[in-house]
Amino acid sequence: MGDVRRLLREILQPDAEFTPIPFWFFNDAFDEKKVRAQLEDYVEKGVNGLVLHPRIGVPEDMPYLSEAYFQAVRYIVGTAAELGMKIVLYDEGMYPSGSAHGMVVAENPAYASRGILLMEAEEAARKLAEEDGAQVIAAFPDGRKLVYGFTGGTIRGIHFGEDDGEPGAPKAADILNPDAVELFIHLTHDRYYEELAEYFGSTVIAFFTDEPSALGRNAEHYRPWVPGLEKELEAAGGRVEDLALLFSDTGRKVAGREDIVELEENLSVEIYQRLIKEKLREIFYARLSGWCERHGISLMGHPAESNDIEEELYFHIPGQDLIMRRVAPETGGLREFDSVQAKLSADIARHLGRRRNANECFGVCCRDGIPWYMTAGDMKWYIDWLGMRGVNLFVPHAFYYSVEGARKGERPPDVGPNNIWWKHYRRFSDYMKRLSFLMTDSINGAEIAVLCDNNRVPCEEIACLYENQIEFNYLPAALLEKARVEGGKVWTGGCGYTGVVNVLGKTYEERFREKLGDLLWAVPVNEADAVKEFTVKMRDPAGSGSKSEGLAGMPGDEAAESMEEAGQTEEKESCGPGPRMKVRFSRPCRTLRKAVLRKYETDMLLLGNEGSEAVCVNVTVPGMKSPLYIDLWRGTCYQVEGAAETFPVRLWPGETVLVTEGGACAGMPGQMQAAGVEVKEDGSFAEYPDWTDRFTLLEKSGNTAVCSMNYPAEKDSETVRFSVRAEEMVECYRNGSFVDVSFWGQHRFEVRELRKGENEIRLVITGNAANIYENAGIAFGLGVS
């Protein structure tokens, strides 16, 4: 038995270390009073850090990296230090990173972004005549030429008139040119350090680099290139003439998604892509990583694509970017290309021994293409989705310094101070802290690894693992190369696996079969067969009669057996012994997500409902006594009378619950309450009858509706529970006193301390922020759902 009471205290009263660190769009004139007021407000709401991110709207009399700019930055960072906040510096003005708001090219025009383009003969001749340094890489029999030259790529700037396609858009730098990268670092990183050295390693904890691009924006017809690459390509067995495929109908989306596998069937294209990625890592990422390490801070941020792997190896805080509803509640978030990202960056962090991994989340996650139309329920779903997969540093996109004029339309919505839920934001910040705490310095229960490689990360093929509560970790091939096989397991970075799942094809089987033997598993095409095979293999990975963890809810798995893991007492290299909790479920639940965790020598079961219907299931954990349910959202815990190793779990849509051994808490309610922990019985299994029709509309104006009912209590201190159908944010008041707030679904309230006789229960319902900023006319009020 671990230290359950310590665990509860730290979960329910989370430390500021685990704060969300939002993008703070610094996008207007600097005003000391306004800055201080906002930062103080953030701290009050439980936000103890921010990414200082210059955005469009900064006035032109405050040029990027000028003295006027740093006057503002010094004040912001100094004020954050006074308030105990952490600052992550953003390395560009605005993005993608690497150009210093065009200053790199302004200092040396030869450093502008370059690439190759397949041109007709006449077009190629014109470019060669007009552009210094342009050169032909290859000529084809039909007269076309592969020409290396300037791409004309730009970045998004920080002043009005500098956005995509506008005349002032800053010129992108060639981040495949070492000299250009060194100049970028000198102009940005060195200057920030010169101005803020006293805060580095204390208040300033990281530099954020944002989806670096070798081409810049609006240069999609070009492909990246490095002078002399043709020799390396040929030495590796490729042919320059095959690179015409990069510009075919298939190749036009080479940086995209679905076409990557098709393109890589051509050896030359595959070699080209590998070489370019290697150059980008060596020339850009490695230099930034080294600079941060030398200056006592972390490299943070994310590469351009969700399935970029080897770039992540240079981040001290690996990260990714969940944007534009590419993973969405309405689809379940399992089979989209971007669905790999949160798990991927979290697992890379695990294998590298990095304490934290980050996700820039919620950016432009708007419904129906309507700016600002994102709900609090959506935000909660995304937080759960990320947290269940191991993300432990949330970077909300974004909090706006100003929403004046056109600023409110620059990549909305604001998910913080300018949204309807801000006065209750402590609910969200504490919740993100609790999930982050759980996923930091803990070990997860994954017994199998899924093999992945740079830009080859399985998603649809392994969706059945999520849907059948089979835990796994993504294992990059680059890290598997250095893994060891010992005691019937594959060990890497302190994690041990009974098998490595390969869905990447024969090339990878040939590459790793000798090393892994029977520990390398292929996946049957049929999903049901795959699940059955995983179940069998995890029980008996070597076919020797040994037992592994049972998986319940599987086809043909009525009574999964417990595990006697051969190496279960072995200390993991960096984390200590793994979880010993064995879990099975009474029935299949495709929308139920599971994570088994171990922290403070305590095993925990985290469950989440990613679906649109309630999940009701009995859970069996052999040896469990007095399971303790922890409601991470409300910050409470409770026990269900009579529950033991088989106990019920009910999760409404958008809910999670953490379950751990509660024996240490039994019979000690006084001690637990003194520790700041509320222990109650039957907390989530009470009935909440629908009272929607019992309320009367008092008024509806602007974006707010007020409804009321009178409740006749038969005695003092009576408690009632009820639910209502309403959209979107519902605040409940009892006789004028605030009771609770609900943001989504069937809104449920527990109203205590009613007085004998008549009591007014009032509901204040607020509509979506899109009604305020876009006049969207989205329906709200009682009875709307």
Side-chain angles (χ1 to χ4, degrees):
M1 175 63 65
D3 194 343
V4 177
R5 278 176 280 188
R6 178 190 175 192
L7 184 73
L8 289 176
R9 283 195 302 271
E10 296 189 23
I11 288 175
L12 301 181
Q13 301 170 10
D15 191 84
E17 175 188 0
F18 303 105
T19 180
I21 300 182
F23 271 12
W24 183 55
F25 284 5
F26 181 52
N27 61 355
D28 207 340
F30 171 56
D31 183 304
E32 289 188 3
K33 291 183 179 179
K34 182 176 180 178
V35 167
R36 178 171 289 276
Q38 287 195 13
L39 298 194
E40 289 176 348
D41 192 21
Y42 293 174
V43 172
E44 181 185 344
K45 301 298 192 300
V47 178
N48 306 103
L50 57 85
V51 179
L52 203 174
H53 185 1
R55 295 289 288 204
I56 286 179
V58 171
E60 292 186 7
D61 61 3
M62 188 191 294
Y64 184 60
L65 304 182
S66 65
E67 178 53 36
Y69 175 85
F70 274 109
Q71 180 184 347
V73 168
R74 285 191 298 268
Y75 181 82
I76 293 165
V77 175
T79 302
E82 291 177 27
L83 297 173
M85 300 179 75
K86 301 301 182 185
I87 293 289
V88 174
L89 299 172
Y90 192 85
D91 70 4
E92 187 53 80
M94 169 167 59
Y95 70 87
S97 293
S99 304
H101 191 250
M103 295 169 64
V104 170
V105 178
E107 186 157 325
N108 189 336
Y111 291 166
S113 175
R114 299 189 192 220
I116 53 173
L117 184 63
L118 187 62
M119 295 180 166
E120 299 295 337
E122 184 177 332
E123 183 184 12
R126 187 163 52 250
K127 188 171 182 68
L128 292 167
E130 296 174 353
E131 188 177 293
D132 290 340
Q135 57 183 286
V136 175
I137 302 301
F140 299 97
D142 61 2
R144 294 183 302 167
K145 292 180 170 60
L146 197 61
V147 178
Y148 173 65
F150 293 118
T151 70
T154 58
I155 70 169
R156 301 187 71 213
I158 63 173
H159 307 305
F160 288 122
E162 294 184 342
D163 209 342
D164 288 331
E166 295 183 331
K171 292 185 181 299
D174 181 5
I175 62 173
L176 293 176
N177 180 333
D179 294 333
V181 173
E182 290 295 339
L183 179 57
F184 165 66
I185 292 173
H186 175 67
L187 291 170
T188 54
H189 296 61
D190 289 346
R191 182 68 196 285
Y192 271 106
Y193 187 73
E194 178 184 333
E195 296 286 348
L196 303 169
E198 64 187 290
Y199 299 107
F200 268 58
S202 53
T203 300
V204 174
I205 61 171
F207 251 118
F208 194 105
T209 197
D210 203 348
E211 53 189 59
S213 168
L215 298 173
R217 294 170 70 87
N218 304 304
E220 59 273 6
H221 295 297
Y222 282 83
R223 302 289 175 261
W225 192 257
V226 174
L229 192 69
E230 63 272 23
K231 297 178 181 178
E232 296 183 48
L233 179 71
E234 291 171 356
R239 304 189 314 161
V240 175
E241 52 265 37
D242 288 346
L243 297 186
L245 286 170
L246 294 172
F247 306 91
S248 67
D249 290 340
T250 300
R252 289 190 186 282
K253 298 179 182 177
V254 67
R257 298 166 171 76
E258 301 87 357
D259 44 75
I260 284 179
V261 173
E262 182 178 349
L263 269 173
E264 289 187 345
E265 291 176 356
N266 180 275
L267 178 62
S268 299
V269 171
E270 183 177 358
I271 294 171
Y272 160 81
Q273 291 176 331
R274 175 174 55 80
L275 289 173
I276 284 295
K277 303 270 289 180
E278 286 177 359
K279 297 296 183 185
L280 183 61
R281 294 194 297 271
E282 294 167 2
I283 294 169
F284 188 80
Y285 286 99
R287 282 174 166 80
L288 267 61
S289 182
W291 189 97
C292 289
E293 198 163 316
R294 292 191 299 274
H295 291 80
I297 63 172
S298 297
L299 178 62
M300 185 173 162
H302 60 85
E305 295 295 336
S306 293
N307 61 3
D308 284 335
I309 289 180
E310 295 184 17
E311 289 83 349
E312 297 279 12
L313 306 183
Y314 292 91
F315 285 90
H316 304 103
I317 303 175
Q320 263 301 345
D321 181 17
L322 187 69
I323 59 169
M324 298 177 68
R325 226 172 176 84
R326 289 175 179 168
V327 173
E330 53 267 25
T331 63
L334 287 186
R335 291 170 169 82
E336 296 88 343
F337 165 85
D338 293 279
S339 68
V340 306
Q341 57 162 271
K343 188 89 177 83
L344 180 61
S345 56
D347 293 344
I348 288 172
R350 288 186 177 106
H351 291 128
L352 293 178
R354 312 280 201 247
R355 289 188 72 233
R356 308 298 294 274
N357 73 95
N359 195 281
E360 176 195 328
C361 45
F362 321 141
V364 203
C365 285
C366 305
R367 295 185 177 194
D368 303 329
I370 302 172
W372 287 87
Y373 187 19
M374 175 181 167
T375 70
D378 290 345
M379 185 161 66
K380 172 64 161 53
W381 188 90
Y382 282 117
I383 293 170
D384 290 347
W385 192 90
L386 295 166
M388 289 295 304
R389 286 157 176 76
V391 170
N392 62 12
L393 201 169
F394 293 84
V395 182
H397 179 300
F399 290 13
Y400 288 36
Y401 173 64
S402 172
V403 290
E404 291 296 318
R407 294 171 180 85
K408 73 176 184 295
E410 202 270 295
R411 301 300 192 263
D414 179 318
V415 296
N418 295 289
N419 218 304
I420 63 170
W421 49 71
W422 179 243
K423 63 180 174 179
H424 301 294
Y425 194 79
R426 191 78 192 220
R427 299 288 182 92
F428 289 97
S429 61
D430 280 352
Y431 185 63
M432 286 184 271
K433 286 177 181 177
R434 290 178 185 126
L435 285 173
S436 296
F437 166 81
L438 283 175
M439 295 297 170
T440 303
D441 302 327
S442 61
I443 309 165
N444 74 342
E447 283 198 273
I448 61 174
V450 171
L451 184 64
C452 57
D453 205 355
N454 216 29
N455 302 118
R456 288 185 174 184
V457 185
C459 55
E460 190 165 1
E461 304 94 327
I462 51 85
C464 62
L465 300 182
Y466 285 110
E467 292 173 338
N468 290 280
Q469 295 82 48
I470 302 176
E471 288 188 80
F472 72 93
N473 287 339
Y474 281 123
L475 178 55
L479 299 180
L480 183 55
E481 295 279 7
K482 300 178 182 179
R484 72 180 193 277
V485 177
E486 184 178 311
K489 285 192 173 186
V490 180
W491 289 90
T492 180
C495 300
Y497 303 107
T498 59
V500 177
V501 178
N502 173 36
V503 300
L504 300 182
K506 292 182 180 179
T507 300
Y508 290 85
E509 182 171 348
E510 295 168 357
R511 181 174 167 186
F512 292 110
R513 175 59 66 189
E514 183 176 352
K515 182 183 186 73
L516 299 182
D518 291 338
L519 297 182
L520 185 65
W521 301 348
V523 179
V525 174
N526 180 277
E527 178 181 315
D529 290 342
V531 172
K532 288 180 181 178
E533 183 162 330
F534 285 138
T535 304
V536 172
K537 283 182 176 291
M538 291 177 69
R539 286 178 176 170
D540 191 2
S544 60
S546 63
K547 297 177 182 178
S548 186
E549 179 177 1
L551 300 166
M554 306 298 104
D557 189 19
E558 299 284 328
E561 300 180 44
S562 63
M563 172 181 65
E564 294 294 337
E565 184 180 348
Q568 69 177 8
T569 60
E570 179 177 347
E571 291 286 318
K572 290 193 175 183
E573 294 170 358
S574 60
C575 303
R580 296 177 177 82
M581 185 179 283
K582 304 91 184 174
V583 182
R584 59 182 186 263
F585 303 93
S586 61
R587 65 179 186 84
C589 302
R590 296 180 74 88
T591 64
L592 183 67
R593 303 291 173 258
K594 179 194 85 169
V596 174
L597 303 165
R598 184 172 179 82
K599 185 167 183 172
Y600 297 161
E601 301 182 1
T602 301
D603 288 353
M604 298 166 283
L605 172 64
L606 180 63
L607 298 172
N609 180 4
E610 288 182 6
S612 58
E613 303 292 334
V615 168
C616 299
V617 63
N618 287 329
V619 182
T620 298
V621 179
M624 175 74 79
K625 300 176 182 177
S626 303
L628 185 68
Y629 298 70
I630 303 169
D631 185 332
L632 300 172
W633 173 252
R634 294 175 178 84
T636 59
C637 58
Y638 55 93
Q639 292 177 302
V640 175
E641 187 176 1
E645 63 180 37
T646 296
F647 51 89
V649 167
R650 175 191 291 174
L651 292 175
W652 298 100
E655 284 193 342
T656 58
V657 68
L658 183 72
V659 184
T660 190
E661 172 66 69
C665 308
M668 297 185 292
Q671 293 183 40
M672 293 306 296
Q673 288 175 5
V677 178
E678 177 186 5
V679 180
K680 60 182 181 178
E681 294 184 351
D682 302 323
S684 71
F685 298 94
E687 295 301 319
Y688 290 81
D690 190 331
W691 284 9
T692 304
D693 296 336
R694 296 179 65 173
F695 284 86
T696 300
L697 178 65
L698 298 182
E699 61 176 300
K700 187 172 185 178
S701 62
N703 201 37
T704 303
V706 180
C707 303
S708 178
M709 68 164 284
N710 288 323
Y711 179 81
E714 296 181 357
K715 59 183 179 179
D716 283 332
S717 300
E718 188 173 331
T719 296
V720 296
R721 297 183 179 94
F722 67 91
S723 65
V724 295
R725 290 169 284 107
E727 188 70 35
E728 172 180 346
M729 183 176 77
V730 183
E731 297 166 292
C732 179
Y733 295 83
R734 175 203 63 236
N735 299 322
S737 297
F738 177 74
V739 174
D740 201 0
V741 62
S742 176
F743 298 99
W744 60 84
Q746 186 87 359
H747 301 269
R748 303 188 304 280
F749 295 100
E750 180 180 281
V751 183
R752 303 182 184 183
E753 300 299 324
L754 291 166
R755 63 194 180 209
K756 186 176 181 180
E758 290 292 311
N759 295 264
E760 185 200 31
I761 300 177
R762 178 170 291 210
L763 304 179
V764 178
I765 306 165
T766 305
N768 191 269
N771 292 340
I772 301 171
Y773 296 101
E774 297 292 326
N775 195 26
I778 296 166
F780 69 96
L782 204 63
V784 178
S785 61

